[in-house]
Amino acid sequence: MILTHFTGRAALTIRLIGLALVSWTVLRANHHAPGGSGRGLVISVLFALCVVAWLTWMSWPVPDRGITPEVWVLAAAGGVLCGASPSSAASAFVFVAVVAAGVRAELSRAFIVVGVAVLALALSVLAYDGSALGLLAYSLGFAAATLAGANARQAAAKAEQAELLLAQTQRSHEEQLRAARLEESTRIAREIHDVLAHALAGLTIQLEATSALVD
């Protein structure tokens, strides 16, 4: 949402920095870091999926694309990763997904993404004995982020409508000015025509009188 105020290159840089920071927390987690077996392997696979999905989302951030596959991957893989690596900032992957869903689609469809993320997180919490309170807090956070995305989309739509209305008002004002100028030109032309007609009529009378005197 905030990134819409930046240029394309600036927004791309900010997204790359965000990905780097989140990746650093996952790779440097005090407990349950990526590995080659067991829980570490699960974290490694999920982290790779999230990074690829993030890069895909970052490359085509157009709001009117709808809920694309990378959004679903971020919601599902990010939710499981958030429970598998609770000491990291893996929840950022899910927040990106739910905000993107709120911005790109209707609220009813966006909340399906939230449901997928919450379900994935719940399964991960059950599998790795996570905190039920944390699950509730994340669920409320995901829902709030989706609402914020939807509000941003509605605000952008209202701003666009206001711009269209302003443009229509300006065109209407220009048409009124053009009509007023045309009416004024017509009035001046009519007055000039009347003056010339009277002058010519007077001149004709004078010529006739002069001709009569000459005769």
Side-chain angles (χ1 to χ4, degrees):
M1 296 175 290
I2 298 177
L3 295 181
T4 56
H5 299 288
F6 293 92
T7 61
R9 182 172 297 180
L12 183 66
T13 302
I14 293 173
R15 292 185 177 102
L16 282 174
I17 293 174
L19 177 60
L21 292 175
V22 175
S23 300
W24 184 82
T25 64
V26 174
L27 296 174
R28 302 291 295 177
N30 295 329
H31 304 286
H32 312 301
S37 62
R39 186 169 181 172
L41 178 60
V42 173
I43 293 174
S44 298
V45 173
L46 293 173
F47 175 64
L49 289 174
C50 288
V51 169
V52 172
W54 182 297
L55 292 174
T56 305
W57 161 77
M58 183 179 65
S59 302
W60 295 285
V62 183
D64 58 0
R65 293 179 60 233
I67 303 178
T68 45
E70 71 272 9
V71 175
W72 297 105
V73 173
L74 282 171
V80 178
L81 182 60
C82 183
S85 182
S87 60
S88 68
S91 60
F93 294 120
V94 183
F95 279 108
V96 166
V98 295
V99 170
V103 170
R104 294 181 178 185
E106 296 296 329
L107 195 58
S108 57
R109 292 188 58 201
F111 267 111
I112 298 177
V113 178
V114 177
V116 170
V118 171
L119 178 60
L121 179 58
L123 293 175
S124 184
V125 167
L126 290 175
Y128 299 113
D129 298 325
S131 171
L133 183 60
L135 172 62
L136 177 61
Y138 275 126
S139 300
L140 294 176
F142 298 157
T146 306
L147 291 174
N151 289 335
R153 178 175 56 82
Q154 293 175 357
K158 289 180 180 179
E160 184 177 356
Q161 291 177 354
E163 291 179 357
L164 292 175
L165 180 61
L166 179 60
Q168 291 176 355
T169 303
Q170 291 177 345
R171 285 196 297 269
S172 176
H173 182 63
E174 291 174 357
E175 290 294 334
Q176 290 177 355
L177 289 177
R178 189 178 296 108
R181 293 192 191 101
L182 180 60
E183 183 179 357
E184 182 67 14
S185 299
T186 303
R187 185 186 65 80
I188 293 174
R190 187 182 302 112
E191 291 181 353
I192 293 174
H193 177 271
D194 293 341
V195 171
L196 289 175
H198 288 301
L200 290 175
L203 182 60
T204 301
I205 293 173
Q206 291 177 0
L207 288 175
E208 290 178 355
T210 302
S211 178
L213 290 174
V214 170
D215 291 341

